[in-house]
Amino acid sequence: LYLNGNSQLTVKQGNIHINSDSEDAVGIKGNPQVHNEPRIQTATATTSIHDLDDDVKEAFSPEPTVAGYKSDPLEELSPPDRKSCKDLDDIKKDTTLKPGCYTGGINVKKGTLTLDPGHYWIEGGIELSGNATIIGRGVMLYIADSNDVDLSGCERCCFTPPSTGVYAGITFFGARSDEQDHHHHHDGDGPTFIFYGDNSVTTLEGIIYNPNGAVELSGNATFKVNLYVNSLSLQGNDHI
């Protein structure tokens, strides 16, 4: 967990659990704050909590407590099938995609991309620019390689997960490495998911599962998500 500047992370329901015994498992720069609400929830952190710097402990409210390793709750979940793949050109006008396999990346330069409900296999990452919009309700996006998902250029972004089926509740699924050891560590060579949030234009709900990659959050927004990721970072003066 890495927090820079005056960022503030508030967890409304649930815990922050950092699966690491490294003294560098939490990085703090500036005056960030981490809050768990309601206060009956305990922020659980590194198994070597006593090795953390005092300024790291002070950033949490309540202060972190010692906790053991938690296994990957989704380690038995298989990716969707890769079949009938299509290579997309850059998207420069309003476009609707059907569930399926897309290679070469999804690059939205202009207009609105609408994802019909279902499961998507994506190679080459996702990038939005030029104040583009992407709307995916009832979708599960499987990011099949280490290319990033950069949604910082969204004019408007909306992602919600499927409500039924094997991927119910899961919005983003980052590929696992073939060499990954599910029971001890993740090597961190997976994709990075970059989300910029603004409550007026951003909706992000569901499970963000990226066991071998990172998530970067910025902006001022409420994300209704559960995260299982290799690393999580907040930058600047953001309130998430």
Side-chain angles (χ1 to χ4, degrees):
L1 176 65
Y2 304 102
L3 305 172
N4 292 324
N6 294 310
S7 56
Q8 181 171 312
L9 174 63
T10 300
V11 180
K12 290 290 187 180
Q13 295 180 352
N15 294 337
I16 301 167
H17 191 102
I18 300 172
N19 263 3
S20 175
D21 58 6
S22 169
E23 63 185 37
D24 299 321
V26 182
I28 300 289
K29 291 184 179 179
N31 297 292
Q33 296 292 319
V34 181
H35 301 284
N36 274 40
E37 298 178 0
R39 289 303 179 89
I40 58 172
Q41 298 289 346
T42 301
T44 59
T46 176
T47 54
S48 59
I49 191 69
H50 302 296
D51 294 331
L52 292 177
D53 292 338
D54 288 341
D55 60 339
V56 171
K57 296 179 185 179
E58 291 171 359
F60 287 80
S61 177
E63 183 176 304
T65 58
V66 177
Y69 179 81
K70 286 186 177 294
S71 61
D72 182 343
L74 297 175
E75 65 179 340
E76 301 300 328
L77 184 67
S78 298
D81 292 333
R82 184 188 189 277
K83 57 185 179 181
S84 303
C85 294
K86 301 176 182 178
D87 196 0
L88 292 176
D89 294 328
D90 289 349
I91 295 172
K92 300 179 180 178
K93 62 180 181 179
D94 291 353
T95 301
T96 298
L97 295 181
K98 301 292 185 183
C101 173
Y102 296 92
T103 60
I106 295 179
N107 297 304
V108 187
K109 303 290 187 180
K110 188 178 180 181
T112 296
L113 171 61
T114 301
L115 303 175
D116 280 351
H119 310 149
Y120 292 77
W121 177 296
I122 299 172
E123 298 174 12
I126 303 174
E127 184 175 4
L128 278 75
S129 59
N131 295 323
T133 293
I134 184 168
I135 307 294
R137 294 186 175 91
V139 299
M140 191 286 293
L141 307 183
Y142 177 73
I143 310 304
D145 52 27
S146 61
N147 288 283
D148 295 343
V149 173
D150 186 351
L151 303 178
S152 58
C154 267
E155 173 69 14
R156 181 184 175 214
C157 284
C158 175
F159 294 98
T160 65
S163 59
T164 60
V166 67
Y167 300 110
I170 300 172
T171 310
F172 286 90
F173 182 164
R176 306 182 185 99
S177 168
D178 290 340
E179 296 77 30
Q180 179 179 337
D181 179 348
H182 293 295
H183 299 290
H184 292 95
H185 68 276
H186 304 298
D187 56 22
D189 62 359
T192 297
F193 298 164
I194 304 170
F195 300 111
Y196 173 80
D198 184 307
N199 277 332
S200 63
V201 297
T202 305
T203 300
L204 180 60
E205 299 179 3
I207 296 170
I208 312 299
Y209 179 64
N210 196 17
N212 211 46
V215 167
E216 297 179 5
L217 302 178
S218 63
N220 294 280
T222 299
F223 295 137
K224 297 179 181 179
V225 296
N226 289 303
L227 299 168
Y228 188 93
V229 300
N230 187 70
S231 68
L232 171 65
S233 64
L234 274 72
Q235 306 286 335
N237 299 312
D238 307 304
H239 289 242
I240 304 295

